[in-house]
Amino acid sequence: MVRYPLAPEQIEAGRRLGAALRSARAGRSPVEVAVAAEISPETLRKIETGRLPTPAFGTIVRLSEVLGVPLSELATVWRTDPALSKAS
């Protein structure tokens, strides 16, 4: 399977998603959240820092459940470009 490079917009969307997840984690440790979501702590770190801008859907579903953040809210964060919102 050929994987095409991500567009800059996708990379930025991944950074926004990671920041939202990091914020939702609040005082909980990354290890605690990762274990509860059944992912590795390294995967969570990569998502939160934007190094994994397009995580698997199942991973986001599990993180959504563990963090108590509606999946629709995370989708909005991923889709919404703040630069475009400011231009309006």
Side-chain angles (χ1 to χ4, degrees):
M1 172 166 68
V2 176
R3 295 195 74 168
Y4 296 100
L6 296 175
E9 298 82 18
Q10 292 172 304
I11 294 169
E12 184 54 37
R15 288 186 183 122
R16 288 192 307 273
L17 177 64
L21 291 170
R22 189 171 46 255
S23 176
R25 186 167 51 78
R28 295 172 69 180
S29 80
V31 173
E32 174 190 344
V33 171
V35 169
E38 299 178 353
I39 62 173
S40 74
E42 182 59 21
T43 296
L44 180 58
R45 276 189 278 282
K46 286 179 180 179
I47 294 168
E48 286 188 351
T49 60
R51 291 184 322 185
L52 181 56
T54 57
F57 180 71
T59 299
I60 296 304
V61 169
R62 288 191 301 271
L63 287 169
S64 168
E65 292 170 345
V66 167
L67 296 170
V69 177
L71 193 55
S72 61
E73 187 176 315
L74 294 177
T76 298
V77 166
W78 196 88
R79 273 190 246 122
T80 305
D81 185 345
L84 294 177
S85 298
K86 290 177 186 174
S88 304

